[in-house]
Amino acid sequence: MTYEDFLTYLLIMGAQADLKVTEDEKALIIQKVGEENFVRVKRIFDRQNDAQHIDTVTELYQKYSSDIGGKENLVKALRESFVLGNDGKEHVMDRYMLMMLKKIL
């Protein structure tokens, strides 16, 4: 997986926080990463269980950690490169990603 795939994976994981990716969330992610990338990464995500999601995030974080420079920079990259809403408000996905990253990385 590429770095962009990693960020896409995290966005999907955040959208899945309430156990369902809504059409609005899907549209926002596709708008940012493209439909092909979304479909490919979502297919991988859907084939995995929760433990595998954590393993994937951990492995990809380790793979790109020297490029990222820490959890805070990863969250910053997610927010800057893949801002989900244009309203400037923090969304459930943002909170979930922060919480998840703090716990598993």
Side-chain angles (χ1 to χ4, degrees), residues 59-97:
E59 288 171 18
L60 292 172
Y61 177 75
Q62 290 172 353
K63 179 177 179 180
Y64 295 110
S65 63
S66 62
D67 299 332
I68 296 168
K71 288 184 274 189
E72 293 79 18
N73 287 339
L74 176 58
V75 172
K76 183 178 177 184
L78 282 166
R79 285 188 170 162
E80 289 176 357
S81 300
F82 297 94
V83 174
L84 294 176
N86 294 324
D87 56 9
K89 296 179 183 175
E90 185 176 90
H91 295 269
V92 172
M93 290 173 66
D94 297 328
R95 289 191 304 273
Y96 178 76
M97 280 188 286

Side-chain angles (χ1 to χ4, degrees), residues 10-22:
L10 290 173
L11 291 173
I12 292 168
M13 193 172 198
Q16 192 83 20
D18 59 359
L19 305 177
K20 183 177 186 227
V21 178
T22 67

Side-chain angles (χ1 to χ4, degrees), residues 11-60:
L11 291 173
I12 292 168
M13 193 172 198
Q16 192 83 20
D18 59 359
L19 305 177
K20 183 177 186 227
V21 178
T22 67
E23 288 301 314
D24 287 344
E25 290 168 333
K26 179 180 173 182
L28 287 169
I29 295 171
I30 288 172
Q31 179 184 357
K32 300 300 178 184
V33 304
E35 188 166 2
E36 183 179 321
N37 189 345
F38 174 81
V39 169
R40 183 173 36 80
V41 175
K42 181 80 164 84
R43 193 173 302 133
I44 293 167
F45 184 89
D46 288 344
R47 283 188 251 144
Q48 296 177 326
N49 61 39
D50 289 343
Q52 291 169 318
H53 293 157
I54 292 169
D55 289 344
T56 298
V57 169
T58 302
E59 288 171 18
L60 292 172

